[in-house]
């Protein structure tokens, strides 16, 4: 029996990042056929947007070096979007060759993470993104943008809200349709989330991307929904992290999110049972249990 809360959206779009943000952080390379089956199972569970992989430098993220082969193996379903991460023009060329129709660029809100993750400065990262976004839009490709380290950075401490807004507004100004606010290392808390979203003054253009390192992801998501956000990134089974931020752990688990939203009477179109069986299947292949509390509770039988 749902207990709706006044002021919350009736529908939330879950942007599934498990195959990309989840698998990019696995120490063992997951075989390409397992990745393809994972994505297929996610679509079968009702996901309408599944971030499939990354066209980054294969030496930087060897876990996703099979991006091209994976796209060739996808059983694309009508009505399901399969965006990919693209950092630069080389990545865009690779994606264009394969007929990709939706990409995401990813910026840093801090100087240190721009250097560690992109080999660029805070300023020069834009020189990399600008031609990517312009050429993608010319080719009719939808572009999403991420900004990482929105709440804090392991090297620089708390990130000033004004700095996040400056980076984010610049990305939206390039023509990105949506800005996903990344709490890469999971240090944000609900009041901080509200303050950041309010500082942007246009929640309808924002998504939130919480890593659950400090157990704050669900509370932060509720704060974001109350502030007017209706797109939430999550990874089935709660797998994930960023190889260039050691303190990053898994994303908010899709199952934990669906449980909360269902309780609030918010529509997601996802089949929780199918998500849980996908996560238990994947956990067995990865050799460790899913960190999701909902997966743990529901898979006990
Ligand atoms: P760089 O070394 O500065 O690259 O790396 P470069 O532009 O100097 O090029 C060097 C060589 O790499 C050239 O080859 C390029 O062609 C090649 P050469 O001419 O010397 O033979 N190259 C490429 N090859 C294949 N694909 C490419 C590519 N680009 C260059 N795309 C670069 C710069 C951006 C490439 C590198 O830093 C990189 O790949 N970084 C990606 C790191 C990453 O993927 N991190 C994880 C994703 S971000 C994340 O997880 C956070 C998020 O989840 C949100 C959150 O949680 O906050 C999104
Ligand atoms: Mg992430």
């Amino acid at each position: 029996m749902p207990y709706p809360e006044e002021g919350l959206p009736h529908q939330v779009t879950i942007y599934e990042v498990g195959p990309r943000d989840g698998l990019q952080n696995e120490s063992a390379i997951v075989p390409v056929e397992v990745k393809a089956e994972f994505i297929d199972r996610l679509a079968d569970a009702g996901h309408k947007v599944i971030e499939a992989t990354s066209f980054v430098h294969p030496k930087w993220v060897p876990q996703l070096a099979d991006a091209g082969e994976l796209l060739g193996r996808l059983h694309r379903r009508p009505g399901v979007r399969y965006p990919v991460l693209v950092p630069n023009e080389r990545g865009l060329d690779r994606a264009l060759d394969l007929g990709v129709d939706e990409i995401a660029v990813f910026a840093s809100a801090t100087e240190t993470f721009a250097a560690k993750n992109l080999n660029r400065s805070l300023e020069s990262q834009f020189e990399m993104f600008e031609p990517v976004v312009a050429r993608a839009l010319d080719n009719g490709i939808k572009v999403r943008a991420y900004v990482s380290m929105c709440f804090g950075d392991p090297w620089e401490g708390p990130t000033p809200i004004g700095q996040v807004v400056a980076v984010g507004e610049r990305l939206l100004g390039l023509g990105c349709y949506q800005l996903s606010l990344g709490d890469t290392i999971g240090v944000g808390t609900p009041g901080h989330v509200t303050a950041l979203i309010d500082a942007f003054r246009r929640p309808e253009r924002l998504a939130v991307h919480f890593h659950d390192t400090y157990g704050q992801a669900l509370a932060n998501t509720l704060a974001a929904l109350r502030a007017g956000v209706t797109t939430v990134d999550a990874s089935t089974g709660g797998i994930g992290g960023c190889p260039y931020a050691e303190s990053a752990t898994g994303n908010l688990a899709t199952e934990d999110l669906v449980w909360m939203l269902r309780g609030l009477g918010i529509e997601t179109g996802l089949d929780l049972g199918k998500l849980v069986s996908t996560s238990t299947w994947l956990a067995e292949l990865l050799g460790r249990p899913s960190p999701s509390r909902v997966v743990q509770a529901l898979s006990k039988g």
Side-chain angles (χ1 to χ4, degrees):
M1 169 81 181
Y3 286 88
E5 181 183 305
E6 210 176 313
L8 291 186
H10 297 297
Q11 212 174 341
V12 162
T13 300
I14 299 185
Y15 183 103
E16 170 67 36
V17 297
R20 194 280 302 171
D21 209 350
L23 298 184
Q24 78 179 8
N25 208 38
E26 281 304 310
S27 45
I29 307 265
V30 175
V32 67
E33 57 275 13
V34 171
K35 292 175 178 171
E37 184 174 346
F38 182 33
I39 292 172
D40 224 29
R41 282 172 174 257
L42 293 171
D44 201 42
H47 274 297
K48 293 285 179 261
V49 51
I50 305 168
E51 197 168 75
T53 186
S54 290
F55 286 89
V56 296
H57 196 299
K59 284 202 185 117
W60 282 64
V61 183
Q63 292 88 338
L64 304 183
D66 57 6
E69 194 190 343
L70 175 64
L71 289 196
R73 284 174 180 256
L74 286 190
H75 302 117
R76 288 176 183 275
R77 300 182 190 210
V80 181
R81 292 151 50 203
Y82 300 91
V84 300
L85 233 55
V86 164
N88 57 9
E89 289 197 88
R90 175 81 184 92
L92 180 65
D93 290 338
R94 291 171 60 205
L96 285 173
D97 283 349
L98 292 162
V100 163
D101 57 11
E102 186 169 338
I103 65 166
V105 294
F106 50 103
S108 171
T110 69
E111 196 67 68
T112 314
F113 191 62
K116 289 195 185 280
N117 199 46
L118 294 165
N119 199 24
R120 296 291 181 278
S121 65
L122 196 54
E123 183 55 36
S124 73
Q125 63 179 342
F126 288 100
E127 288 161 25
M128 189 162 75
F129 304 137
E130 277 160 15
V132 173
V133 179
R135 279 182 55 210
L137 294 177
D138 282 350
N139 280 277
I141 290 176
K142 236 174 128 147
V143 187
R144 183 186 216 225
Y146 285 96
V147 55
S148 287
M149 303 295 177
C150 285
F151 296 87
D153 164 299
W155 307 278
E156 298 181 24
T159 312
I161 285 180
Q163 199 169 308
V164 180
V165 174
V167 170
E169 286 294 349
R170 242 171 118 172
L171 291 164
L172 286 171
L174 296 179
C176 298
Y177 78 92
Q178 184 174 68
L179 182 72
S180 178
L181 302 174
D183 188 4
T184 324
I185 55 168
V187 291
T189 45
H192 194 166
V193 171
T194 309
L196 181 60
I197 291 168
D198 288 351
F200 273 98
R201 297 169 188 272
R202 39 178 174 169
E204 69 285 356
R205 298 292 298 278
L206 303 177
V208 286
H209 178 105
F210 296 120
H211 286 262
D212 204 24
T213 321
Y214 291 83
Q216 305 297 299
L218 263 187
N220 288 344
T221 300
L222 186 56
L225 298 178
R226 286 176 176 150
V229 169
T230 59
T231 301
V232 180
D233 299 1
S235 91
T236 292
I239 57 174
C242 175
Y244 292 97
E246 270 177 26
S247 37
T249 62
N251 292 83
L252 166 64
T254 308
E255 291 91 339
D256 296 7
L257 175 61
V258 169
W259 182 273
M260 181 180 82
L261 295 177
R262 208 169 69 169
L264 286 162
I266 298 173
E267 194 51 55
T268 64
L270 290 174
D271 180 326
L272 187 55
K274 285 186 176 175
L275 291 175
V276 170
S277 59
T278 297
S279 292
T280 43
W281 162 81
L282 188 66
E284 218 160 279
L285 290 168
L286 297 178
R288 57 170 195 287
S290 159
S292 158
R293 302 294 287 269
V294 169
V295 171
Q296 287 168 22
L298 294 182
S299 61
K300 281 190 184 126

